[in-house]
Amino acid sequence: MFIQTETTPNEDSLKFIPGVPVMGEGTAEFLDTRSALKSPLALRLMGIEGVTGVFYGPDFVTVLKDSETAWSVIKPEVYAMLMEHFSSGEALFRTEEDRESAGPQDTRILDTDSETVAMIKELLETRVRPAIMEDGGDIEYRGFTDEGIVQVKLKGSCRGCSSSTVTLKSGIERMLMHYIPEVKGVEEVLDQEEEIALNEFQKLEERLAKQHGDEKQGSKQDSSMAQYMSV
C-alpha cells in the first residue's frame, strides 16, 4: 500500500490519501480522546504526541497538529498507523451506530425547511463541500438567521486556518449571495469549548502584552536613572 500526502492551506494540517475508501460517504471529525473512542484508528492517531485532531473524508484522512511539533516527528507514526489499519481490514468504527452518528446530517433537507434554507443546503452540499474537501476539510451548516446570515462551521484542515476568513467571505458568501438574494452574509460559529479556549488565549495574549509593556517601562526607568547618575 502506498499512502500519499497532500499539503493544505493550513500548515498544521496534512491530508493523507491511502488509495482506498475511508468514509466512502460523509465525514467525521475527532478533536479529543473522548470523541475518538468511536473509532480505533482515530483513538490511536490522537495518542501521537502533538496531534490535536483527526478528520475522515470519503477517501482521505486529515491529521491536525499543534504548531510546536514538527511534521518530521509526527509523519512516520501516522504513516505506520494508517498502513497497519488499512492493510488489516479493521473496521473504521466500533459499531455501525457509531459510524452513522459520526457523519454530518446538516445538509439533509427536511420537510420543515423553507425554500431558502433548502437552497442553501443544496449549494453547500453540491458546490461548497466538494471544493473544501479538496483541501482536506469540510463545512457544516448551523443555521439561517432572520437577518439573512448563514451560520456555518469549518472542520478538518479548515479549522483554525488563516485563510478560512478569505474562504468564507470571498468564496462561500459571494456564491450564496449570488444565487440566493435572501442571503446577506455568512459567518462561522464556534462551539462552546472553542469559545472558552479562544477567550483564554486572548486573556493570555493580553497578560503577555501587559508584561512586555511593564518590562519596557522598567527598562526606560533604569536608562533614565543611569543617565542621571552619569551627570
Side-chain angles (χ1 to χ4, degrees):
M1 173 179 286
F2 178 68
I3 299 176
Q4 295 179 291
T5 60
E6 288 184 4
T7 57
T8 74
N10 184 348
E11 62 182 15
D12 289 326
S13 170
L14 265 184
K15 183 178 176 183
F16 294 82
I17 307 171
V20 296
V22 179
M23 284 289 287
E25 293 183 1
T27 62
E29 187 174 45
F30 311 93
L31 300 176
D32 52 41
T33 303
R34 183 177 179 181
S35 62
L37 290 173
K38 295 179 179 180
S39 171
L41 174 61
L43 188 61
R44 290 195 290 270
L45 290 171
M46 287 295 293
I48 299 175
E49 186 174 355
V51 170
T52 60
V54 176
F55 178 82
Y56 294 158
D59 59 355
F60 64 87
V61 176
T62 297
V63 175
L64 296 91
K65 70 172 184 66
D66 59 43
S67 56
E68 289 77 28
T69 309
W71 279 116
S72 58
V73 176
I74 294 177
K75 280 174 67 175
E77 289 191 74
V78 174
Y79 272 126
M81 289 183 183
L82 292 178
M83 187 77 71
E84 179 183 359
H85 173 83
F86 289 108
S87 298
S88 69
E90 180 184 13
L92 196 61
F93 293 91
R94 296 189 184 279
T95 66
E96 188 60 31
E97 289 76 16
D98 286 339
R99 189 193 189 290
E100 291 176 357
S101 64
Q105 305 293 324
D106 56 291
T107 54
R108 183 164 58 91
I109 298 176
L110 308 174
D111 294 337
T112 54
D113 287 339
S114 66
E115 183 178 348
T116 299
V117 169
M119 290 175 64
I120 292 170
K121 288 183 175 182
E122 177 71 17
L123 284 173
L124 290 176
E125 178 66 28
T126 60
R127 301 286 295 275
V128 178
R129 179 164 276 158
I132 290 184
M133 281 189 180
E134 286 293 318
D135 288 331
D138 195 12
I139 189 169
E140 184 177 307
Y141 171 80
R142 288 295 184 89
F144 182 60
T145 70
D146 294 337
E147 293 74 29
I149 303 299
V150 179
Q151 297 174 321
V152 298
K153 174 77 176 170
L154 293 174
K155 303 167 71 175
S157 64
C158 298
R159 179 185 294 274
C161 178
S162 58
S163 63
S164 61
T165 301
V166 178
T167 301
L168 280 176
K169 296 299 179 182
S170 299
I172 302 169
E173 182 178 85
R174 183 180 297 176
M175 186 192 70
L176 290 178
M177 291 175 65
H178 175 76
Y179 287 106
I180 308 173
E182 291 82 359
V183 173
K184 306 303 179 185
V186 176
E187 67 177 17
E188 184 178 12
V189 297
L190 300 177
D191 293 327
Q192 184 177 4
E193 295 83 358
E194 292 175 312
E195 289 181 348
I196 293 173
L198 183 60
N199 289 335
E200 290 300 319
F201 181 72
Q202 290 174 339
K203 289 178 183 178
L204 175 62
E205 284 191 319
E206 290 172 1
R207 287 198 299 269
L208 291 174
K210 184 178 184 300
Q211 181 181 349
H212 183 62
D214 292 343
E215 289 174 354
K216 287 182 66 177
Q217 184 65 29
S219 177
K220 286 182 179 179
Q221 290 175 351
D222 292 343
S223 177
S224 299
M225 180 62 72
Q227 289 178 354
Y228 175 77
M229 294 295 288
S230 65
V231 174

